[in-house]
């Protein structure tokens, strides 16, 4: 498998020479400074690619080429947005970049309520606390209808947290929930988030699916022509958020996506943490079923609580059997190698590491510290080496 590392380009506190010391061979990168819906210009892509190659890496995966919210809502000048997306893909293909990760999560990307939850024996991790999310939805945003989506015990805890919370506590919670949006993504205050949610009023699961199907119909044929593999990232967390439907959360959802355009270029980013946060998902079974369409892997682990809360575990801890999962990926990779495919190696990266030791106060993106991810990469590398022996 191809060891990769997510790097946020000029926005990143971690430099390419530092990443080189991890042993990773490839970079996962995006032009985060380009606003959604605009074309990624050839010159900017070429400049970034040269920077990565000159540092001794390949640019293995684009993560992400984002989808404008108008496409998800099915409104506005969609023809122009689709044309821009296709042009960005063509410009990437001209630089030899052939794998694009993206997601179809409405409005928000990954969502957590705590960016620095304490970990046993030291360090911190990202955490999703069900009662704090309920407090945010019901008491801070005023979405009283959200009471129907949480069990009674969580609602009681949410009320108690809100009653004792200070303005600083509430601001910190809003900041945590907004922190899954890197680069040029919008951040919202409470009033702004309410307005943004209003624009999704009336968009249910079926409508969002229809809008996603149109995106695939518009984009996948161009991906086939360009030799580009698109791979959707599952929802994180794999549940509806703020009343917004999530439609890439389960095995059945993934099956629908891949059958919507049944071609190799319409693929999956296997994120073991995102899928693993849903108790109904058996991540290893999902990987086995869709192995031939997995073009990229985020390998991380989560530990779940009965009330719907979860937190990032160490890569070889948590609820997913990481050794069994990696074996599935290695078996698929061997199958591709036996077919003589040039793209047989499956790129993967360690994801959402703990903040450990010198990571603290370094100002890196939440979930993307240096030492925590280095620990994760070393553990994953050991598993892959042992299974490949």
């Amino acid at each position: 498998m191809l060891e990769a590392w997510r790097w946020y380009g000029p926005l990143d506190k971690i430099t390419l020479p530092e990443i080189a010391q991890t042993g990773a061979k490839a970079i996962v990168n995006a032009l985060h400074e380009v606003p959604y819906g605009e074309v990624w210009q050839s010159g900017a892509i070429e400049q970034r690619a040269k920077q990565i190659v000159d540092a001794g890496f390949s640019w293995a995966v684009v993560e992400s080429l984002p989808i404008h919210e108008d496409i998800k809502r099915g409104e506005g000048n969609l023809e122009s947005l689709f044309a821009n997306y296709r042009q960005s893909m063509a410009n990437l293909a001209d630089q030899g970049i052939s794998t694009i990760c993206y997601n179809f999560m409405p409005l928000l990307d990954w969502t957590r309520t705590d960016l620095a939850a304490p970990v046993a024996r030291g360090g911190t991790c990202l955490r999703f606390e069900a009662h704090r999310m309920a407090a945010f939805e019901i008491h801070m945003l005023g979405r009283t209808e959200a009471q129907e989506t949480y069990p009674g015990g969580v609602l009681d805890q949410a009320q108690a947290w809100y009653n004792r919370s200070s303005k600083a506590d509430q601001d910190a919670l809003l900041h945590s929930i907004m922190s899954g949006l890197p680069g040029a993504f919008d951040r919202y205050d409470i009033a702004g988030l309410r307005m943004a949610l209003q624009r999704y009023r009336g968009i249910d699961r079926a409508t969002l699916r229809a809008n996603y199907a149109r995106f695939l119909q518009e984009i996948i044929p161009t991906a086939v022509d360009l030799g580009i593999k698109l791979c959707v990232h599952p929802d994180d967390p794999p549940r509806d958020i703020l009343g917004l439907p999530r439609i890439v959360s389960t095995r059945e959802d993934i099956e629908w996506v891949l059958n919507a355009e049944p071609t190799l270029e319409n693929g999956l980013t296997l994120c073991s943490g995102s899928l693993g946060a849903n108790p109904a998902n058996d991540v290893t079974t999902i990987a086995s079923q869709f192995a031939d369409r997995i073009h990229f892997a985020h390998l991380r682990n989560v530990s779940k609580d009965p009330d719907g809360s979860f937190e990032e575990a160490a890569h070889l801890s948590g609820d997913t059997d990481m050794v069994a999962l990696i074996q599935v990926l290695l078996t698929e990779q061997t199958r591709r190698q036996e077919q003589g495919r040039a793209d047989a190696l499956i790129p993967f990266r360690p994801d959402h590491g703990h903040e450990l030791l010198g990571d603290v106060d370094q100002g890196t993106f939440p979930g993307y510290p240096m030492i925590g991810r280095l620990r994760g990469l070393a553990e994953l590398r050991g598993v892959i080496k042992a299974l490949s022996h």
Side-chain angles (χ1 to χ4, degrees):
M1 296 174 68
L2 178 61
E3 294 182 5
W5 189 275
R6 188 172 192 178
W7 178 59
Y8 285 94
L11 303 173
D12 208 324
K13 300 286 187 181
I14 300 172
T15 67
L16 288 172
E18 289 173 327
I19 296 171
Q21 296 180 53
T22 70
K25 305 300 183 188
I27 291 295
V28 174
N29 187 245
L31 302 185
H32 292 298
E33 61 273 20
V34 179
Y36 283 13
E38 294 188 8
V39 174
W40 287 18
Q41 299 297 332
S42 296
I45 296 170
E46 183 178 7
Q47 182 179 10
R48 183 64 56 81
K50 183 178 186 304
Q51 187 178 8
I52 290 169
V53 171
D54 287 350
F57 300 95
S58 63
W59 186 352
V61 180
V62 166
E63 185 183 348
S64 297
L65 181 58
I67 299 171
H68 196 279
E69 294 299 313
D70 282 356
I71 294 175
K72 299 173 188 176
R73 289 190 296 263
E75 65 183 29
N77 187 356
L78 297 185
E79 291 302 328
S80 176
L81 290 173
F82 289 135
N84 287 354
Y85 204 95
R86 288 190 289 262
Q87 186 60 58
S88 295
M89 291 188 349
N91 294 344
L92 287 164
D94 286 344
Q95 292 297 319
I97 300 163
S98 60
T99 303
I100 297 174
C101 171
Y102 71 98
N103 73 70
F104 212 81
M105 290 182 265
L107 202 58
L108 297 180
D109 205 304
W110 60 262
T111 305
R112 300 292 185 274
T113 60
D114 195 334
L115 304 181
V119 175
R121 304 186 71 184
T124 65
C125 70
L126 304 178
R127 180 170 174 82
F128 181 91
E129 192 76 58
H131 77 267
R132 294 179 71 189
M133 193 68 203
F136 180 78
E137 290 202 63
I138 299 164
H139 302 294
M140 291 175 61
L141 275 180
R143 292 192 63 254
T144 55
E145 62 270 30
Q147 295 180 34
E148 300 175 3
T149 65
Y150 293 95
V154 169
L155 294 176
D156 292 341
Q157 288 181 287
Q159 182 71 68
W161 181 89
Y162 182 73
N163 289 344
R164 67 175 182 269
S165 66
S166 65
K167 177 65 163 54
D169 293 332
Q170 294 176 27
D171 288 346
L173 180 56
L174 174 63
H175 172 72
S176 295
I177 290 170
M178 290 294 107
S179 289
L181 303 176
F185 296 68
D186 291 330
R187 264 73 169 179
Y188 302 101
D189 58 15
I190 291 295
L193 184 55
R194 286 187 183 127
M195 291 179 60
L197 289 170
Q198 277 291 331
R199 297 190 66 183
Y200 272 93
R201 186 170 292 277
I203 296 180
D204 59 10
R205 178 179 176 86
T207 304
L208 190 63
R209 263 194 173 185
N211 295 342
Y212 188 11
R214 182 178 177 188
F215 168 80
L216 293 173
Q217 291 163 7
E218 294 277 354
I219 299 302
I220 293 299
T222 300
V224 173
D225 292 342
L226 294 171
I228 280 183
K229 299 182 291 294
L230 284 167
C231 41
V232 64
H233 186 288
D235 303 325
D236 185 9
R239 51 163 290 177
D240 293 355
I241 291 287
L242 305 179
L244 300 171
R246 293 289 181 93
I247 58 172
V248 192
S249 295
T250 66
R251 183 195 65 78
E252 291 78 14
D253 290 341
I254 295 169
E255 187 171 42
W256 177 87
V257 172
L258 300 186
N259 286 339
E261 290 290 329
T263 180
L264 181 68
E265 287 76 13
N266 179 28
L268 172 67
T269 295
L270 181 78
C271 182
S272 54
S274 296
L275 292 169
N278 185 335
N281 287 337
D282 184 321
V283 181
T284 304
T285 298
I286 290 172
S288 297
Q289 179 175 351
F290 304 113
D292 62 329
R293 304 280 281 278
I294 294 172
H295 302 319
F296 181 34
H298 292 178
L299 298 182
R300 63 182 175 91
N301 225 322
V302 296
S303 295
K304 299 184 288 292
D305 298 334
D307 68 354
S309 304
F310 64 89
E311 69 181 30
E312 309 288 349
H315 284 71
L316 300 187
S317 303
D319 299 333
T320 295
D321 185 341
M322 190 62 69
V323 176
L325 179 61
I326 291 174
Q327 182 64 75
V328 170
L329 298 175
L330 288 173
T331 299
E332 170 60 19
Q333 184 171 271
T334 298
R335 186 189 69 84
R336 298 178 189 184
Q337 289 170 330
E338 290 172 348
Q339 292 178 340
R341 285 173 48 176
D343 63 344
L345 286 182
I346 299 174
F348 78 95
R349 65 174 180 82
D351 198 11
H352 290 192
H354 292 172
E355 280 199 340
L356 305 173
L357 303 168
D359 287 330
V360 178
D361 298 325
Q362 290 301 303
T364 54
F365 283 97
Y368 293 92
M370 182 64 171
I371 297 173
R373 283 189 290 165
L374 176 57
R375 173 188 170 181
L377 178 59
E379 292 176 343
L380 297 171
R381 179 184 292 147
V383 171
I384 292 167
K385 186 71 172 179
L387 291 174
S388 303
H389 190 274

